[in-house]
Amino acid sequence: MNIFLKDLDLSYIWHPCTQMYDHKENIPLIPIKRAEGMVLYDFEDRGYLDCISSWWVNLFGHCNAYINQKLKEQVESLEHIIFAGFTHKPIIDLSKRLMDILDSKFSKCFYADNGSSAVEIALKMAFHANMLKKEKKTKFLCLHNAYHGETMGALSVGDLGIYKEVYEPILLQSLRVKAPYGNDYEESLEDLERLLKSHKGEIAAFILEPLIQCAGNMNIYDKAFVKEATKLVQSYGIYVIFDEIAVGFGRSGSMFAYQQCGVVPDFLCLSKGITGGYLPLSVVVTHQEIYNLFYAPYYENKAFLHSHSYTGNALACACANAVLDIFEQNNILESNKILSKFIWEKMQVLKTFACVKNLRYCGMVFAFDLVGFEGVRKGLEVFNAGLKKGLLLRPLGNTIYLMPPYIITQEQVVYIIKSLQEILGEF
Amino acid sequence: MNIFLKDLDLSYIWHPCTQMYDHKENIPLIPIKRAEGMVLYDFEDRGYLDCISSWWVNLFGHCNAYINQKLKEQVESLEHIIFAGFTHKPIIDLSKRLMDILDSKFSKCFYADNGSSAVEIALKMAFHANMLKKEKKTKFLCLHNAYHGETMGALSVGDLGIYKEVYEPILLQSLRVKAPYGNDYEESLEDLERLLKSHKGEIAAFILEPLIQCAGNMNIYDKAFVKEATKLVQSYGIYVIFDEIAVGFGRSGSMFAYQQCGVVPDFLCLSKGITGGYLPLSVVVTHQEIYNLFYAPYYENKAFLHSHSYTGNALACACANAVLDIFEQNNILESNKILSKFIWEKMQVLKTFACVKNLRYCGMVFAFDLVGFEGVRKGLEVFNAGLKKGLLLRPLGNTIYLMPPYIITQEQVVYIIKSLQEILGEF
């Protein structure tokens, strides 16, 4: 069944973020029959521990009984309706609950389907808000090593060459600030100040991933940079966008990363974990000052006329509400602290390997770099070796990371670390 | 309950494609409790016939028993997994089934979450394919009056001022061809030829909505333009993208609009109806020649590294497979022909109103323009009057249209037309 399905897949499907040639020999393509909790099962019933939460989206395990139940209940009454002129309780509940846990400065939720679209909305809204203030600012400021998605606007404020380089001729040119790296951020602040001074009249907004540049090889950096940079940018009257698509919903250790940093952005982009890994949903949260700029009689042509057909999807909102239920009922942020500490302690043993450098963590993100293998796809070897041991890892180049669902057990952590030791021991 | 929910909504939510000020007095915001078949029910159990398929997505009614069943079955085994390196049966089935009903020239499906993302993928893929052929072509060619979505790349190839004008300074500049209008397309072909001759070395792709420019006030135009324009563009070695996000899955009368036109594009973008109005899902279909350009050993850096976290969502695929089941088992394309003819015949009575002009249809899309009310939001009056009669219409400016789910009954059609007569009679 596995082989038959694999061949069918390769006949008809072009996978995302994949050199399909790799499936010829370097990387197996694995058809999954079912999933439960931490584990994906193939058609031979081999299990794979989902150490990366299926691209950082799953929070409480696959086919979670509670989320399943809530989704099935929702489908009985309302699956989806147009979200202009009409509304529904699941999205009102979700919006109110988000506002209850977010800073009081925030007041409005603008929904979309995926993270890239959320970033596009934040960029357009920031640009448009300036235009409504009669300020034509056509540049966005972003960090080196940033990733914000792959639609053309989102890609314009990213900085990862493999995703972006070829498209440069059709992208908006952004201003890029030296990225902070770990605790090293002084030069980044200087670079930021220099750019602000020389381009302040042109910059519509500054976008960053607070605390962790995830796709940028899990660069975990100092919260002081987030704080200082945000204050500095805002002091110039420039909007700040936090892309918490990957780090929101507990991943950074707090419910949202900005909460650790002592500053509040003008726009907050959320997605991925919002539905617990079930369905595409994203939201841009912003404050009343922005909203009011657009709020005017129709004939003034100030409306923000962005939409996606499935905006406000009731099924996705039902999953998101279930996720918030689980956070509340099980005090997840507290239990994650214990879990995070446990994983971090167990990982220390990896330091004994000479090839392991820069072991680091933040909340429920753990990473290290494999060094001494320049130009070699060592991460790919780890991926393939992981599969043989029943682990789904998906290294970023030669950076190995764990970003597990919050339901991972201590036994599973021990098994993963032991397996990594064995894999690294073979190098 | 309605009023309480409405106030909560307006406190926390910024709706898509809406001047929120309109909800102060011009437009009621209606909380919907449940939906079934053609009808949305509010909290006072008032019903609204969904005459526009909730932004053109719903095909077989709300809370369709069969799709509900298939979705609930899927959630028991696999809700979502990473779609790089892994795959699953629902998406393999869906891809094979799409290939079986599409032209044999097509061979590969590349998935995303929403229509805008599909357009972005097609644009990037077309640009990138040219780059891989060592041809740096940085312009896209599109039609006047076009709409392709609202992320920045998609917006760049659109032409509707209300969605786009303010953002021009941050968008890619596209080349625009005079749009065909009804049977009038000769000048459009001439304009196209002129642009091709003068810019042929710069154009990466030509994108169009075949047969109907939907957001462009339901401009139903001659299939001969689609055919001639596509042949002409392809004769210049330029790729053609068909955006069938709104017109695919039976809406145009055939399963896909291109099938009526005697040509096959290089990229076909599908979304909206693909899941029957249940969940966000989109796909870009393309052919082997494109795929092969990107297929190479990893180190050649030719991969198309686009992704969205929820790409290939198993729940959405289960809905899409259920939709294809219904098409097959109920011979929908044939029954729609009868239904389409019935609606069209019943609509003829509207011609008796002096303000009704350009009554038109294509498949399951029906439209007319209200004339003599320049500068007046007459469409908004129709929307509000429709609500009072239990109709969800959402005119495009002063263009009134019906784009109902395919399960609409003759009785419902008769009621809608009678209601429209009453509404127009008041003008």
Side-chain angles (χ1 to χ4, degrees):
Chain A
M1 186 66 162
N2 247 347
I3 290 165
F4 176 63
L5 283 175
K6 183 187 159 180
D7 288 345
L8 276 178
D9 178 294
L10 294 176
S11 297
Y12 298 120
I13 299 174
W14 189 343
H15 284 260
C17 206
T18 300
Q19 171 47 267
M20 294 301 293
Y21 186 93
D22 268 341
H23 285 310
K24 205 171 164 184
E25 45 191 31
N26 289 325
I27 300 179
L29 175 68
I30 301 174
I32 294 299
K33 186 178 180 184
R34 64 189 176 89
E36 196 181 340
M38 275 288 292
V39 192
L40 315 186
Y41 295 94
D42 69 15
F43 282 79
E44 275 82 44
D45 262 329
R46 275 188 300 257
Y48 303 89
L49 284 173
D50 189 350
C51 304
I52 60 159
S53 299
S54 276
W55 262 346
W56 325 340
V57 297
N58 192 293
L59 300 188
F60 301 119
H62 292 278
C63 293
N64 177 289
Y66 184 76
I67 306 175
N68 276 9
Q69 179 60 29
K70 291 295 176 179
L71 177 58
K72 288 192 282 187
E73 284 171 20
Q74 185 59 44
V75 86
E76 293 299 336
S77 62
L78 186 69
E79 84 302 350
H80 177 79
I81 54 166
I82 184 171
F83 196 53
F86 294 82
T87 188
H88 52 79
K89 196 163 179 300
I91 202 161
I92 295 170
D93 289 345
L94 174 61
S95 306
K96 182 178 186 317
R97 295 173 80 175
L98 287 174
M99 286 306 154
D100 287 347
I101 57 176
L102 287 165
D103 190 89
S104 62
K105 175 181 170 184
F106 291 119
S107 71
K108 290 289 185 289
C109 295
F110 193 102
Y111 289 90
D113 311 314
N114 58 27
S116 292
S117 298
V119 168
E120 298 268 344
I121 287 164
L123 297 175
K124 285 175 66 183
M125 216 178 245
F127 171 80
H128 198 161
N130 282 303
M131 290 294 273
L132 291 169
K133 294 193 288 184
K134 311 283 182 210
E135 293 177 5
K136 185 175 169 181
K137 298 172 165 183
T138 60
K139 296 279 187 198
F140 295 102
L141 189 61
C142 55
L143 293 183
H144 278 285
N145 195 45
Y147 176 90
H148 297 290
E150 288 168 70
T151 51
M152 284 165 60
L155 201 54
S156 293
V157 291
D159 183 53
L160 298 180
I162 57 163
Y163 302 113
K164 181 176 183 179
E165 196 174 356
V166 67
Y167 308 106
E168 288 283 5
I170 54 169
L171 299 179
L172 189 68
Q173 296 307 300
S174 295
L175 297 167
R176 279 171 252 182
V177 177
K178 181 176 160 56
Y181 186 71
N183 295 324
D184 180 7
Y185 66 87
E186 287 301 333
E187 283 181 31
S188 301
L189 279 180
E190 288 165 20
D191 194 38
L192 176 61
E193 188 146 28
R194 184 183 59 76
L195 280 165
L196 286 168
K197 279 181 179 159
S198 54
H199 294 277
K200 58 177 178 282
E202 305 162 51
I203 300 169
F206 173 47
I207 183 166
L208 76 164
E209 301 150 275
L211 296 185
I212 314 174
Q213 292 187 310
C214 293
N217 288 347
M218 297 296 164
N219 174 21
I220 297 171
Y221 66 89
D222 202 314
K223 62 185 71 173
F225 176 79
V226 179
K227 182 175 186 172
E228 297 306 321
T230 299
K231 284 166 67 177
L232 186 61
V233 171
Q234 289 181 333
S235 76
Y236 278 82
I238 293 169
Y239 296 126
V240 175
I241 302 165
F242 280 3
D243 172 350
E244 292 212 27
I245 291 162
V247 299
F249 296 96
R251 189 55 73 179
S252 73
S254 49
M255 192 61 170
F256 301 103
Y258 84 86
Q259 294 167 329
Q260 295 181 46
C261 305
V263 282
V264 182
D266 299 284
F267 301 92
L268 181 68
C269 299
L270 303 173
S271 187
K272 287 193 186 273
I274 192 170
T275 61
Y278 268 63
L279 289 170
L281 178 71
S282 64
V283 61
V284 178
V285 181
T286 189
H287 53 69
Q288 201 65 19
E289 182 200 316
I290 299 286
Y291 182 80
N292 290 345
L293 285 168
F294 294 82
Y295 191 86
Y298 183 83
Y299 288 107
E300 293 185 24
N301 290 322
K302 291 183 175 176
F304 187 69
L305 296 179
H306 188 109
S307 64
H308 299 279
S309 319
Y310 284 94
T311 297
N313 182 259
L315 298 174
C317 290
C319 293
N321 280 314
V323 164
L324 292 180
D325 289 345
I326 296 173
F327 267 106
E328 286 172 16
Q329 290 162 11
N330 300 279
N331 206 355
I332 296 298
L333 294 175
E334 283 309 306
S335 59
N336 273 3
K337 280 181 192 163
I338 298 163
L339 190 52
S340 170
K341 188 161 171 280
F342 180 81
I343 298 173
W344 180 238
E345 283 171 6
K346 288 291 162 196
M347 283 188 87
Q348 298 308 309
V349 67
L350 300 177
K351 282 184 177 167
T352 56
F353 292 93
C355 61
V356 170
K357 285 285 180 279
N358 196 15
L359 192 71
R360 58 199 182 272
Y361 89 115
C362 176
M364 286 293 285
V365 179
F366 310 84
F368 60 87
D369 305 321
L370 289 176
V371 297
F373 307 106
E374 280 65 37
V376 179
R377 296 173 81 185
K378 213 66 186 173
L380 179 58
E381 291 178 34
V382 172
F383 174 75
N384 283 328
L387 288 179
K388 292 197 179 114
K389 293 181 184 293
L391 303 183
L392 161 48
L393 300 160
R394 188 176 157 94
L396 291 154
N398 287 346
T399 295
I400 316 298
Y401 70 92
L402 302 177
M403 215 196 238
Y406 305 159
I407 51 139
I408 190 171
T409 65
Q410 294 195 347
E411 290 72 20
Q412 287 165 336
V413 171
V414 168
Y415 177 76
I416 293 166
I417 303 298
K418 180 174 136 287
S419 300
L420 279 171
Q421 283 181 276
E422 289 167 6
I423 292 168
L424 298 174
E426 300 278 311
F427 284 1
Chain B
M1 185 66 163
N2 248 346
I3 290 163
F4 176 64
L5 282 176
K6 182 186 158 178
D7 288 346
L8 276 178
D9 179 293
L10 294 176
S11 295
Y12 298 120
I13 299 173
W14 189 343
H15 285 259
C17 205
T18 300
Q19 171 48 266
M20 294 301 293
Y21 186 94
D22 268 341
H23 285 309
K24 206 172 163 184
E25 44 191 31
N26 289 326
I27 301 178
L29 176 68
I30 302 175
I32 294 299
K33 186 178 179 183
R34 64 189 176 87
E36 196 181 337
M38 273 291 291
V39 192
L40 315 186
Y41 294 95
D42 69 16
F43 282 80
E44 276 81 43
D45 262 330
R46 275 188 301 255
Y48 304 88
L49 284 173
D50 191 350
C51 304
I52 60 159
S53 300
S54 275
W55 261 347
W56 325 341
V57 298
N58 192 292
L59 300 188
F60 301 119
H62 293 277
C63 293
N64 177 290
Y66 183 77
I67 306 176
N68 276 11
Q69 179 60 28
K70 291 296 176 179
L71 177 57
K72 288 192 283 188
E73 283 170 20
Q74 186 59 45
V75 85
E76 293 299 335
S77 62
L78 186 69
E79 84 301 350
H80 177 78
I81 54 165
I82 184 171
F83 196 53
F86 294 82
T87 189
H88 52 79
K89 196 163 179 299
I91 202 162
I92 295 170
D93 289 346
L94 175 61
S95 306
K96 181 177 186 316
R97 295 173 80 175
L98 287 175
M99 286 307 154
D100 286 347
I101 57 176
L102 287 165
D103 190 90
S104 61
K105 176 181 170 183
F106 292 120
S107 70
K108 290 289 185 288
C109 295
F110 193 101
Y111 289 90
D113 311 314
N114 57 27
S116 292
S117 298
V119 168
E120 297 268 344
I121 287 164
L123 296 175
K124 285 176 64 183
M125 216 179 246
F127 171 80
H128 198 159
N130 282 302
M131 291 293 272
L132 291 170
K133 294 193 288 182
K134 310 287 181 208
E135 293 177 6
K136 185 175 169 182
K137 298 171 164 183
T138 61
K139 297 279 187 199
F140 294 103
L141 189 60
C142 56
L143 292 183
H144 278 287
N145 194 46
Y147 177 90
H148 298 289
E150 287 168 71
T151 50
M152 285 165 62
L155 202 54
S156 293
V157 290
D159 183 54
L160 298 180
I162 58 165
Y163 302 112
K164 180 175 184 179
E165 196 175 355
V166 68
Y167 308 107
E168 288 283 5
I170 54 169
L171 299 180
L172 188 69
Q173 297 307 300
S174 295
L175 296 168
R176 279 171 252 181
V177 178
K178 182 176 159 56
Y181 185 70
N183 295 323
D184 180 8
Y185 66 88
E186 287 300 331
E187 283 181 31
S188 301
L189 279 181
E190 288 164 21
D191 195 37
L192 176 61
E193 187 145 28
R194 184 184 58 75
L195 280 165
L196 286 169
K197 279 182 180 160
S198 54
H199 295 276
K200 59 176 177 283
E202 305 163 51
I203 301 168
F206 174 47
I207 184 168
L208 75 163
E209 302 151 275
L211 296 185
I212 314 174
Q213 292 188 309
C214 292
N217 289 347
M218 297 296 164
N219 175 23
I220 297 171
Y221 66 90
D222 202 314
K223 63 185 73 172
F225 176 79
V226 180
K227 181 175 186 172
E228 297 306 318
T230 299
K231 284 166 66 177
L232 185 62
V233 171
Q234 289 181 333
S235 77
Y236 278 81
I238 295 169
Y239 296 127
V240 175
I241 302 165
F242 280 4
D243 172 350
E244 292 212 29
I245 291 163
V247 299
F249 296 97
R251 189 54 74 178
S252 72
S254 48
M255 192 63 169
F256 301 103
Y258 84 86
Q259 294 166 328
Q260 294 181 46
C261 305
V263 282
V264 182
D266 299 284
F267 301 92
L268 181 67
C269 298
L270 304 172
S271 187
K272 287 195 187 271
I274 192 170
T275 61
Y278 268 63
L279 289 170
L281 177 70
S282 63
V283 61
V284 178
V285 181
T286 189
H287 53 70
Q288 201 65 18
E289 181 200 315
I290 299 287
Y291 182 81
N292 290 345
L293 285 168
F294 293 82
Y295 190 85
Y298 184 83
Y299 289 107
E300 292 185 25
N301 289 322
K302 291 183 175 176
F304 187 69
L305 296 180
H306 188 107
S307 64
H308 299 280
S309 320
Y310 284 93
T311 297
N313 182 259
L315 298 173
C317 290
C319 293
N321 279 314
V323 163
L324 293 181
D325 288 346
I326 297 172
F327 267 106
E328 285 172 18
Q329 290 162 13
N330 299 278
N331 206 354
I332 297 297
L333 294 176
E334 284 308 307
S335 58
N336 273 4
K337 281 182 192 163
I338 298 162
L339 189 53
S340 170
K341 188 162 172 279
F342 180 81
I343 298 173
W344 180 238
E345 283 171 5
K346 289 291 162 197
M347 284 188 88
Q348 298 308 309
V349 68
L350 299 176
K351 281 184 178 167
T352 58
F353 293 92
C355 62
V356 170
K357 285 283 180 282
N358 196 15
L359 193 71
R360 58 200 182 272
Y361 89 115
C362 176
M364 286 295 284
V365 179
F366 310 85
F368 59 88
D369 305 321
L370 289 176
V371 298
F373 307 107
E374 280 65 38
V376 180
R377 295 173 81 185
K378 214 66 187 174
L380 179 58
E381 291 179 34
V382 172
F383 174 75
N384 283 328
L387 288 178
K388 292 197 179 113
K389 293 180 184 293
L391 303 184
L392 160 48
L393 301 160
R394 188 176 157 93
L396 291 155
N398 287 346
T399 294
I400 317 299
Y401 70 91
L402 301 177
M403 215 197 239
Y406 306 159
I407 52 141
I408 190 170
T409 65
Q410 294 196 347
E411 290 71 20
Q412 288 164 337
V413 172
V414 168
Y415 176 75
I416 292 166
I417 303 299
K418 180 175 137 286
S419 300
L420 278 171
Q421 283 180 277
E422 289 167 8
I423 292 167
L424 297 174
E426 301 277 311
F427 284 0

